Amino acid sequence: MKSVYLHIPFCHEICHYCDFTKIYYQESLADSYIEALEKEISMYVDSRKKVRTIYIGGGTPTSLSDRQFEAMLKAVARHFDIRDDVEFTIEANPGDFSKEKMNMLRLYGVNRISLGVQVLDDQFLKALNRSHQVKDVYETVDLLHQNGMENLSMDFIYALPGQTFSLFKETLKEAISFGLPHYSSYSLQIEPQTVFYIRYRQGKLTKPDEGIEANMYLHLIEEMNRHGILQYEISNFARPGFESRHNLTYWNNDYYYGFGAGAHSYFPGRRVVNIRPVNHYIKSIETGRKPVLHEEKITLKERIEEEMFLGLRKTEGVSRKKFFKQYHQTIDELYGERLNDLKEKNWLMDDGDVIRLTTRGMLFGNDVFQAFLLDGDPFGE
């Protein structure tokens, strides 16, 4: 297994757009959760296992108290070999770092921070129900730099309700001015069981139209590349050498552990999904059972489909040679007519070995990916 993901579901505020497994922070519940999390890890890993990447996400990991934050990091250190070449990322909210948490990063080998900035405009931050302000972003980046943390990533969202193209340009320009080595940017998706979804159904919320959203995305790509922050995945940009190795685990269709409420694990031939409700997750572990909601077999058909649409998310695309070496099938045998159709639409480019999305194809990514769903069961599994 190359990678480890740990989910911390606690937040001091619940963002209006978020559909991840999350719950308001409660000190005693968080104590029980951290204890359960280490017990779950012990069910799969009994010694200091070597991995390439560790990623602690949420929720908001930095919403934990200093004592709980350290307990979480100690649990990781007891079960995984934290070497210099391990990429160890923690998601954080601007304004959440105490002096104690900052010291812990260095002590426990954390070498990458992903900041959930979302937008650099206080009015929009309030509308999203974010707990920070723009000034907190500047203060947190300065604090991290002062403490030797250079491998920083900034997440932000575009196509927000009420956001014009001009306002998006201002946020993007300001984000780039931080000079960080990595940025992730996603268009707002209105997901069920969120405040935004309720407002959308009530007719109280509208997004920018598709044309404006597309122009925002095209401007994002152009400006990032112009500043030497190269696109390496549909929504991710980095200076060379600072690509997220952990997220590349997913896009390369590699295996990974997932620990915590609602976390997913991907093992050879199977995917495991954990129980989502935090109380149920803790109770399952307290009774000595793995907190598995369901486990599904991954067939060859499904693995090939995922290889294609995950691989095509990357700007490096999918190599015919690597695909054949992995699956003993050619891409053209499986998808020949579909490839031609996608190329005619200018959604794919093909140099004879590597197949990549065009910029236009990135705008229609979901339509492209659906084309790689195979009919029936061609392998007789």
Side-chain angles (χ1 to χ4, degrees):
M1 303 293 283
K2 294 184 177 181
S3 296
V4 177
Y5 173 79
L6 282 78
H7 188 76
I8 304 298
F10 301 103
C11 297
H12 290 297
E13 296 290 344
I14 303 297
C15 300
H16 290 340
Y17 57 86
C18 179
D19 71 333
F20 295 129
T21 301
K22 76 278 185 187
I23 190 171
Y24 281 108
Y25 174 81
Q26 301 172 43
E27 183 177 12
S28 61
L29 186 61
D31 282 336
S32 298
Y33 183 85
I34 297 300
E35 184 178 342
L37 186 65
E38 180 162 16
K39 287 180 180 177
E40 186 197 0
I41 296 171
S42 299
M43 293 174 178
Y44 292 88
V45 178
D46 57 7
S47 61
R48 296 184 72 239
K49 188 173 182 63
K50 291 184 178 181
V51 292
R52 292 181 65 247
T53 73
I54 299 170
Y55 193 106
I56 303 178
T60 312
T62 48
S63 69
L64 297 173
S65 70
D66 291 344
R67 173 181 57 79
Q68 292 164 343
F69 195 77
E70 183 167 31
M72 173 188 70
L73 292 173
K74 282 183 176 179
V76 172
R78 278 192 286 266
H79 292 279
F80 299 101
D81 185 1
I82 311 298
R83 295 158 291 144
D84 290 341
D85 60 341
V86 173
E87 180 192 84
F88 191 169
T89 304
I90 291 183
E91 288 183 355
N93 271 0
D96 271 4
F97 279 111
S98 64
K99 181 180 179 181
E100 290 75 14
K101 281 190 177 76
M102 192 65 67
N103 291 335
M104 290 176 207
L105 300 180
R106 190 183 309 106
L107 180 62
Y108 290 97
V110 178
N111 52 27
R112 186 174 183 271
I113 299 295
S114 178
L115 288 173
V117 173
Q118 313 315 350
V119 64
L120 289 161
D121 183 301
D122 284 340
Q123 288 186 325
F124 280 105
L125 287 169
K126 185 176 181 180
L128 295 173
N129 204 38
R130 298 292 295 174
S131 59
H132 70 274
Q133 297 180 319
V134 174
K135 66 178 180 62
D136 297 315
V137 180
Y138 282 89
E139 291 172 1
T140 298
V141 171
D142 285 345
L143 185 61
L144 287 165
H145 282 161
Q146 288 168 18
N147 284 271
M149 186 69 69
E150 298 296 330
N151 194 356
L152 306 181
S153 178
M154 181 181 289
D155 282 14
F156 60 101
I157 305 172
Y158 62 93
L160 299 170
Q163 188 179 44
T164 63
F165 181 71
S166 177
L167 288 172
F168 169 70
K169 286 177 66 177
E170 290 178 15
T171 270
L172 179 60
K173 181 179 179 181
E174 190 170 358
I176 292 173
S177 73
F178 280 87
L180 303 186
H182 191 282
Y183 294 85
S184 300
S185 186
Y186 309 89
S187 67
L188 175 68
Q189 303 298 309
I190 299 176
E191 303 288 357
Q193 301 181 350
T194 64
V195 172
F196 273 2
Y197 182 77
I198 294 169
R199 292 179 182 174
Y200 179 76
R201 291 292 299 271
Q202 294 172 339
K204 297 178 180 178
L205 180 147
T206 57
K207 287 182 58 181
D209 67 37
E210 290 182 356
I212 293 174
E213 182 176 332
N215 286 336
M216 289 177 175
Y217 182 61
L218 294 173
H219 183 70
L220 168 70
I221 295 171
E222 180 182 348
E223 286 300 293
M224 285 292 183
N225 288 336
R226 190 169 71 86
H227 285 85
I229 311 163
L230 307 182
Q231 185 179 29
Y232 70 98
E233 191 269 346
I234 285 178
S235 301
N236 285 269
F237 305 81
R239 299 192 186 281
F242 286 92
E243 299 83 359
S244 170
R245 287 161 51 191
H246 183 84
N247 286 339
L248 282 167
T249 298
Y250 304 142
W251 301 321
N252 288 333
N253 209 18
D254 288 331
Y255 304 120
Y256 53 87
Y257 292 110
F259 300 113
H264 292 214
S265 295
Y266 186 25
F267 301 110
R270 62 193 174 101
R271 182 174 284 111
V272 176
V273 181
N274 275 0
I275 296 167
R276 283 178 65 101
V278 172
N279 283 324
H280 294 181
Y281 168 84
I282 293 171
K283 185 175 180 180
S284 176
I285 291 174
E286 286 177 343
T287 57
R289 293 181 290 111
K290 290 182 179 179
V292 175
L293 175 64
H294 65 85
E295 183 174 328
E296 57 185 351
K297 178 184 176 182
I298 303 298
T299 64
L300 177 59
K301 171 182 178 288
E302 291 167 330
R303 185 160 174 81
I304 284 174
E305 291 169 344
E306 291 178 4
E307 187 80 21
M308 293 304 298
F309 58 70
L310 289 171
L312 286 170
R313 290 190 64 90
K314 299 178 297 178
T315 55
E316 72 175 34
V318 178
S319 164
R320 282 184 169 88
K321 291 178 183 177
K322 289 182 181 178
F323 185 94
F324 182 77
K325 184 177 180 181
Q326 179 80 15
Y327 298 104
H328 311 292
Q329 306 272 337
T330 70
I331 292 176
D332 294 274
E333 286 173 343
L334 293 169
Y335 296 111
E337 292 184 11
R338 304 183 199 197
L339 292 179
N340 291 332
D341 180 54
L342 293 170
K343 285 187 282 187
E344 287 179 6
K345 291 178 178 177
N346 192 28
W347 290 356
L348 281 186
M349 51 184 158
D350 184 349
D351 67 5
D353 177 29
V354 176
I355 301 165
R356 299 181 178 89
L357 289 179
T358 62
T359 301
R360 179 176 173 79
M362 291 180 185
L363 291 171
F364 294 94
N366 288 336
D367 296 303
V368 176
F369 302 149
Q370 286 181 13
F372 289 96
L373 296 174
L374 294 165
D375 299 326
D377 185 3
F379 308 109
E381 291 182 290

